[in-house]
Amino acid sequence: MTTQRRRLRVTGTVQGVGFRPFVYRHAVALGLSGHVANDSEGVLVEAEGPPQQLDELSRRLTEEPPPLARVATLETTQLPATGGSGFRIVESRSERAPAVAVSVDVATCDDCLAELTDPSDRRYGYPFTNCTNCGPRYTIIRSIPYDRPATTMAGFPMCDACAAEYADPGDRRFHAQPNACPACGPQLRLLEGDGRVVAEQGEALDGAVKALLAGKIVAVKGLGGYHLATDASDAGAVAELRRRKHRDDKPFAVMVPDLDAARALCRLSPDAAAALSSLRRPIVLAHRHPDADGVAPGVAPGLPELGLMLPYTPLHHLLLQGMGRPLVMTSGNLSDEPIAHTDDDAVTRLGPLVDATLAHDRPIHIRADDSVVRARPNGRTQMVRRSRGFAPEPLPLPRPARRQVLAVGAELKNTVSVAKDANVVASHHIGDLEHLAAHRSFLQATEHLCHLTGVDPEVVAHDLHPEYLSTKYALELDLPTVGVQHHHAHVASCLVEHGRTEPVLGIAFDGLGLGTDGTLWGGELLVADLRGFRRVGHLRQLPLPGGTRAIREPWRMALAWAHTALGPEAAARYGESADERWRSVLALLERPETPVTSSAGRLFDAVAALLGLRPRTTYEGQAAIELEAAAAGLELDAVAPYPASIEREGDLLVIDPSPLIAQVVAERDWGTPVAAISAGFHAGLGRTAVEAAAELAGHHGLDTVALSGGVFQNTRLTDVVVGACREAGLSVLVHEHVPPNDGGISIGQAAVAALSD
Ligand code: ZN
Ligand code: ZN
Ligand code: FE
């Protein structure tokens, strides 16, 4: 019998993902001798045995790696056989600390799920089953090194059976820090609204299912916080949840038991299905089948999309099995406050909203909302909220950081990021900093992220807006500061995602962000790289009547655009009600001290209001979302693009949407369907933006366009722009893994501060 010895050099995401125990188990199963170790380049294996068995080991490492691992390369070298016996995991001395010592939270793996549903298994029906390949991580870690005493599992000493699994390199639970079983681990309890415990363990689960089936609202403690759950098919229960949560229209997410149930509700591309069933388990926004029932209309009123997710903890699996129908699972909070994650907070804040609470005694250390991904019509997906399942996974920087950076993000949809060496690491979604509770959460997240990543910031990067709480925090630290312009940060976040160092022509279509000239930007054309930028074009500026009130009241922007595009008399005529407020806003438009903006987001608001879709909003972006939704049934080129003009002002190109507005108003008066007007508007704005971008790119010798800013959550606009860029011979960078909205700002800030001179 021939015996060979081979060295296997494995690179990729192979550390901190259970790769060494995986190699160990397969090598032992194949009867090979040798050892496996981590080193600075990845994982190094030396294995000896029959060539067929060695081939099989290589095949398993590349084709069936552990769920969180990603093998980039596997190089094989022949070595002289040494004739040893046994296989060992070697603690390597040259081991360099990974960028983050902590994994993301991972959905229940198939092996654990099989145990959960096997009546003969000791973990049958146990809602906290986990292993090396799955379970809580980021949300339970208090400090590093990542060991059980440093997690919120510290209070649960392992029983003998669990301890034996933990110590056995051949076991799936080798060094699984949150390992637990019914004998030693966390337990469920059911509380009434007032916090009184009424049932425990299996009875608690049964009680919660019974309440949900009866149309009640139940708070459910999950991985990164509490959800508010109710029967998604029960219109009355859904309406009651809206009333109690003070949430008028913003869509609720729905949890369904499996992919088949998801497909029964929504159209899923292969990418969307893969995202939905991935171990990160984000909410996936996908188009619903028009005739699908099983979900009450009040779940996502008036929208063609539904936010779906699959169960990601054993408790979710058990709940959904008990229910046999979809569950609304929305963040456990009131309105836009941060999600509740401590038990006391849940009783205080959620108690009054719910009929019962399904809790347990494993504390959540860091809250993490569900992540949200949007399915694009072209089949790809786009990140909308990067949080649970993604934080704190590092994103590689295109060049090594020149300094250690803390970046504090924007005001809304806040995240914070740190940069060090080869990576930038973004926090979970923190939320809107205008809420006191979110501000507290911001402070905790900032400190925790620096601690987990070992970053000792040399500079702090912040937005230019002096009133953002994040900016104020940055300026109070005793550190050098780097102010990064909002839209430069947006474009930079897109460059990080694509590993791009050369300059691009950035199109930043956004809500509002402070510009370097003190006005509010938001429809910007920038020549930008990761070190700096120059503004080379923008949407025409116009007054923002009523400042921030104009954001919640799109009718104000409708009036401002009608005034700009059609003149004061036509604008006055357009105001059908022409009441006091209209006249006062018209007066504001004439006043020189009214702030001006070039925001694309506000232009979408204006068109939505001009079409009568949404004069006032109840959540951020609502008017634009509904304007896009109005065109949902139409192909991109179903309607000829409405015209817009491009003018030169000194060095700048200014896109003037006035002709677009004029046509929107005219078509509306002729009775053209809103769907067609929306499609014509999207096509016109997108194509004109690309026309301007192409001219500027040519002028500045650039061949690539990068799209960022919250407006590019609009997949219709994105697809129009991408198509027009390709026609113009330009490459396009589009967000996929980093949100185009303000959730990505801290990533861009961190990269700029880390790489600039
Ligand atoms: Zn598992
Ligand atoms: Zn145990
Ligand atoms: Fe923004």
Side-chain angles (χ1 to χ4, degrees), residues 376-575:
R376 288 172 54 197
N378 67 0
R380 306 296 292 274
T381 59
Q382 180 198 62
M383 187 70 72
V384 175
R385 182 165 73 199
R386 189 180 183 276
S387 195
R388 184 211 20 96
F390 295 89
E393 186 170 84
L395 297 158
L397 283 169
R399 265 206 288 260
R402 300 165 68 104
R403 51 189 75 82
Q404 298 189 28
V405 179
L406 166 67
V408 295
E411 174 89 340
L412 300 178
K413 299 184 166 71
N414 179 271
T415 60
V416 295
S417 291
V418 292
K420 180 189 177 183
D421 301 334
N423 297 295
V424 49
V425 181
S427 73
H428 57 282
H429 164 81
I430 296 167
D432 298 351
L433 294 185
E434 51 207 6
H435 296 282
L436 184 65
H439 188 222
R440 242 182 278 132
S441 186
F442 166 86
L443 298 176
Q444 191 200 10
T446 302
E447 195 181 314
H448 197 55
L449 189 65
C450 287
H451 178 67
L452 288 186
T453 53
V455 167
D456 186 8
E458 295 162 78
V459 298
V460 53
H462 60 83
D463 197 272
L464 298 184
H465 202 302
E467 294 304 316
Y468 287 0
L469 276 178
S470 54
T471 306
K472 289 181 175 171
Y473 169 81
L475 297 178
E476 278 167 18
L477 292 177
D478 193 15
L479 283 173
T481 57
V482 179
V484 181
Q485 198 278 326
H486 190 90
H487 303 100
H488 181 212
H490 271 308
V491 173
S493 74
C494 189
L495 299 182
V496 169
E497 156 156 20
H498 292 278
R500 169 103 188 181
T501 50
E502 296 80 46
V504 295
L505 198 286
I507 305 181
F509 275 7
D510 198 29
L512 300 170
L514 192 61
T516 49
D517 60 358
T519 69
L520 291 164
W521 294 5
E524 309 309 310
L525 300 172
L526 311 175
V527 171
D529 61 16
L530 285 171
R531 293 184 296 185
F533 80 100
R534 209 174 112 206
R535 189 192 203 199
V536 291
H538 59 81
L539 286 186
R540 178 173 171 179
Q541 290 184 320
L542 83 173
L544 180 73
T548 51
R549 287 181 68 185
I551 299 171
R552 289 194 172 272
E553 299 180 16
W555 67 267
R556 290 169 177 265
M557 285 317 295
L559 193 51
W561 266 114
H563 183 268
T564 301
L566 309 169
E569 276 167 36
R573 256 201 324 279
Y574 159 70

Side-chain angles (χ1 to χ4, degrees), residues 217 228 238-250 252 330-331 333-337 349 352-353 552 618-619:
I217 294 163
L228 296 176
V238 172
E240 179 63 14
L241 177 56
R242 287 207 175 276
R243 194 186 65 76
R244 293 194 199 170
K245 197 175 143 90
H246 297 295
R247 181 145 153 170
D248 299 327
D249 307 300
K250 196 173 178 184
F252 288 139
T330 185
S331 307
N333 55 12
L334 191 63
S335 203
D336 293 324
E337 289 176 359
R349 282 203 291 148
L353 309 185
R552 289 194 172 272
T618 65
Y619 63 91

Side-chain angles (χ1 to χ4, degrees), residues 78-159:
Q78 297 288 346
L79 300 174
T82 60
S85 69
F87 201 89
R88 290 176 305 129
I89 295 180
V90 181
E91 292 301 331
S92 147
R93 266 173 300 134
S94 68
E95 206 166 317
R96 201 172 55 176
V100 185
V102 170
S103 149
V104 302
D105 298 294
V106 186
T108 311
C109 72
D110 289 344
D111 291 336
C112 285
L113 198 54
E115 293 171 341
L116 187 71
T117 51
D118 174 3
S120 69
D121 194 276
R122 70 187 188 96
R123 289 188 175 85
Y124 175 60
Y126 180 58
F128 304 95
T129 301
N130 67 80
C131 73
T132 320
N133 299 328
C134 76
R137 299 286 187 275
Y138 179 58
T139 52
I140 61 164
I141 289 165
R142 293 197 173 108
S143 64
I144 49 168
Y146 172 47
D147 272 326
R148 193 175 179 97
T151 72
T152 64
M153 286 297 290
F156 300 94
M158 273 183 266
C159 67

Side-chain angles (χ1 to χ4, degrees), residues 270-309:
D271 280 14
L276 191 59
S277 52
S278 75
L279 291 171
R280 304 172 188 278
R281 293 284 154 104
I283 295 168
V284 175
L285 299 172
H287 274 258
R288 65 169 116 185
H289 301 302
D291 51 351
D293 51 10
V295 168
V299 168
L303 295 180
E305 291 173 300
L306 207 52
L308 297 179
M309 65 178 149

